[in-house]
Amino acid sequence: EEDGIREYWGECGEIEALDIMRFPDTGRFKGMVFITFTTQEAYENALAADGSDLDGQTIRVDRCKAKRATPAGGAALAAPPKVHSTPEPQKVEGYWVAYVGNISFDATPDDLKAVFAETGVDKVRLHTDRNTGVS
C-alpha cells in the first residue's frame, strides 16, 4: 500500500513524508493520504492531478491546512484557512458530532436520520461540493 502510494505520487516529485489514514478498529486504509513533498514544484504537480482517474476512481487532490511546521525547504499540501460564509455552530455540553463519509450521493438527511434513529440522532447536515452543489 505505502509502496504503491509512493510510486504513484513520486511521479510528482520527491516525497518527504506520508501520513496514511487508517480505520482505528481495523487498520484498513481509508483512501486518504496527507503527503509532504520536498519542493513546491512537486506540490503543484500533485495538485494538478485533481480529478484524474486512478484505478477507476476519480481522485480528489486538495490543499490542506498545515497543522505543524514543515521542515526547512519542504512544501506541504497546505493553504491559508478558509473563510466561512456562515458562522460555525456553537458547541454546547452534551453535543457530540460524528462525521459519516462514503455515503450514497442520493442519501438525504431524512435517510440518515432513519439509519441512525436508534442512536438518538436529531440533526443531520450534508456537506456539498462548492463547485457542483452535489452532496
Side-chain angles (χ1 to χ4, degrees):
E1 209 165 73
E2 182 175 340
D3 291 340
I5 293 168
R6 284 187 179 279
E7 181 181 341
Y8 183 84
W9 292 103
E11 295 292 321
C12 295
E14 186 179 355
I15 295 172
E16 182 171 306
L18 289 178
D19 189 4
I20 301 172
M21 300 291 102
R22 298 184 184 281
F23 291 101
D25 55 339
T26 64
R28 289 184 49 222
F29 178 51
K30 284 186 173 184
M32 185 168 52
V33 179
F34 291 89
I35 304 172
T36 303
F37 291 95
T38 59
T39 66
Q40 183 72 25
E41 180 182 7
Y43 160 71
E44 290 171 6
N45 290 340
L47 290 174
D50 184 43
S52 60
D53 181 80
L54 176 62
D55 297 330
Q57 296 286 326
T58 301
I59 59 173
R60 182 174 150 208
V61 182
D62 206 356
R63 291 170 165 81
C64 68
K65 297 175 190 173
K67 296 203 179 209
R68 59 181 166 76
T70 57
L77 292 177
K82 294 179 183 175
V83 177
H84 295 281
S85 58
T86 57
E88 290 290 323
Q90 295 296 314
K91 305 290 186 200
V92 295
E93 188 174 327
Y95 176 74
W96 297 279
V97 177
Y99 169 80
V100 179
N102 204 28
I103 60 172
S104 168
F105 289 114
D106 298 325
T108 67
D110 288 336
D111 294 333
L112 295 173
K113 283 180 187 178
V115 169
F116 295 101
E118 292 180 19
T119 65
V121 168
D122 61 350
K123 184 176 183 181
V124 172
R125 182 177 63 187
L126 293 178
H127 292 265
T128 57
D129 182 281
R130 276 184 284 203
N131 299 322
T132 65
V134 175
S135 62

